[in-house]
């Protein structure tokens, strides 16, 4: 498994360990060899992880199958005390990681713009969506998050009551196996907030319940 960095920005500093006792500074692009049943822990103290979109990003890849567990915020704060995700932070992090079986915890309640954009695109073996407790969301924060992923069980609720433009755009686009619709408690829509959110989710048989008190172009 490895992390790779694209772009000229300064890479975050992270460490890894196989026993949570002996920690090694990680050099981006370096393979960490693992055997079946091994565990690898990652941590760092960083203001951001990915810094931007398209030309500046970080990807995780692996040979074989991997179960991601624990708190993803350990990449920003070793003690996992941070509760907010900066703009673009985990944009595309697991894109096309076809061996990813489970997602890490995503406990942040305040999200920056584009922060989870495309995070699990093409993760065809990822069957369960992690809980998404964020109550403060921003422009395209969940954009394309599970695009063409293998999600069968989506989140039970997306609890934010105040929406942002295109916040959930394409979030579950192409998740053909997904069977449930999360509770969507917001009452005031904004432009593009649900744009193509469930397009291609052919296993969903129920319609989302929307409590809107006014209507805009939500797609």
């Amino acid at each position: 498994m490895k992390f790779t960095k694209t772009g000229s920005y300064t890479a975050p500093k992270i460490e890894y360990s196989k026993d949570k006792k002996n920690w090694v500074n990680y050099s981006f692009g370096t393979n960490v060899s693992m055997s079946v049943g091994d565990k690898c822990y990652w941590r760092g103290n960083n203001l951001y992880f990915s810094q931007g979109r398209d030309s500046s990003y970080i990807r995780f890849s692996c040979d074989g199958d991997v179960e991601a567990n624990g708190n993803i915020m350990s990449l920003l704060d070793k003690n996992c005390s941070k509760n907010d995700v900066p703009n673009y932070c985990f944009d595309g992090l697991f894109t096309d990681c076809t061996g990813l079986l489970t997602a890490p915890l995503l406990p942040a309640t305040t999200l920056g713009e584009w922060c989870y954009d495309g995070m699990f695109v093409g993760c065809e073996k990822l069957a369960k969506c992690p809980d998404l407790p964020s109550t403060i969301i921003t422009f395209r924060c969940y954009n394309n998050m599970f695009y063409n992923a293998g999600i069968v069980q989506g989140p039970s609720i997306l609890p934010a009551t105040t929406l942002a433009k295109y916040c959930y755009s394409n979030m579950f686009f192409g998740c053909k196996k997904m069977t449930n619709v999360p509770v969507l408690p917001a009452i005031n829509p904004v432009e593009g907030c649900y744009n193509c959110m469930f397009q291609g989710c052919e296993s969903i048989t129920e319609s989302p319940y929307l409590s809107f008190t006014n209507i805009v172009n939500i797609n």
Side-chain angles (χ1 to χ4, degrees):
M1 63 175 65
K2 65 180 178 180
F3 287 94
T4 54
K5 182 187 78 72
T6 298
S8 59
Y9 70 103
T10 302
K13 295 180 179 180
I14 55 175
E15 305 171 307
Y16 73 93
S17 172
K18 294 185 179 182
D19 57 11
K20 296 188 80 171
K21 296 179 181 179
N22 301 294
W23 292 89
V24 178
N25 290 325
Y26 181 70
S27 177
F28 280 82
T30 302
N31 277 308
V32 177
S33 297
M34 306 289 291
S35 299
V36 175
D38 285 354
K39 294 182 179 180
C40 189
Y41 305 90
W42 302 86
R43 70 181 189 183
N45 287 326
N46 298 291
L47 294 176
Y48 58 82
F49 206 58
S50 284
Q51 194 178 34
R53 298 194 70 240
D54 300 329
S55 60
S56 300
Y57 56 82
I58 291 173
R59 297 286 185 266
F60 173 87
S61 60
C62 61
D63 294 325
D65 294 340
V66 169
E67 293 182 346
N69 296 288
N71 189 342
I72 194 131
M73 300 302 285
S74 67
L75 297 173
L76 302 180
D77 170 29
K78 293 179 182 180
N79 298 315
C80 294
S81 59
K82 284 180 66 67
N83 206 28
D84 62 290
V85 182
N87 294 348
Y88 307 104
C89 187
F90 299 125
D91 183 351
L93 182 59
F94 297 101
T95 289
D96 294 328
C97 188
T98 56
L100 187 69
L101 302 179
T102 60
L105 300 177
L106 305 177
T109 56
T110 301
L111 303 184
E113 295 182 359
W114 302 94
C115 65
Y116 292 151
D117 174 44
M119 191 173 181
F120 300 102
V121 167
C123 292
E124 58 189 31
K125 294 183 181 178
L126 181 63
K128 184 178 180 181
C129 180
D131 290 337
L132 299 170
S134 305
T135 53
I136 300 176
I137 60 178
T138 54
F139 180 69
R140 292 194 184 271
C141 56
Y142 290 117
N143 188 71
N144 294 322
M145 188 175 184
F146 299 99
Y147 194 104
N148 286 340
I151 296 298
V152 175
Q153 181 181 350
S156 60
I157 185 172
L158 293 170
T161 55
T162 300
L163 303 178
K165 289 184 178 180
Y166 296 94
C167 53
Y168 298 125
S169 179
N170 298 322
M171 186 175 183
F172 299 105
F173 189 108
C175 291
K176 296 180 180 179
K177 300 177 182 178
M178 185 171 163
T179 58
N180 69 301
V181 174
V183 175
L184 302 171
I187 61 174
N188 292 310
V190 296
E191 180 183 343
C193 56
Y194 296 137
N195 177 54
C196 298
M197 186 177 182
F198 300 107
Q199 185 164 332
C201 295
E202 56 191 42
S203 296
I204 290 179
T205 59
E206 60 179 316
S207 297
Y209 178 78
L210 304 177
S211 302
F212 293 158
T213 56
N214 60 79
I215 298 295
V216 296
N217 179 21
I218 61 171
N219 290 325

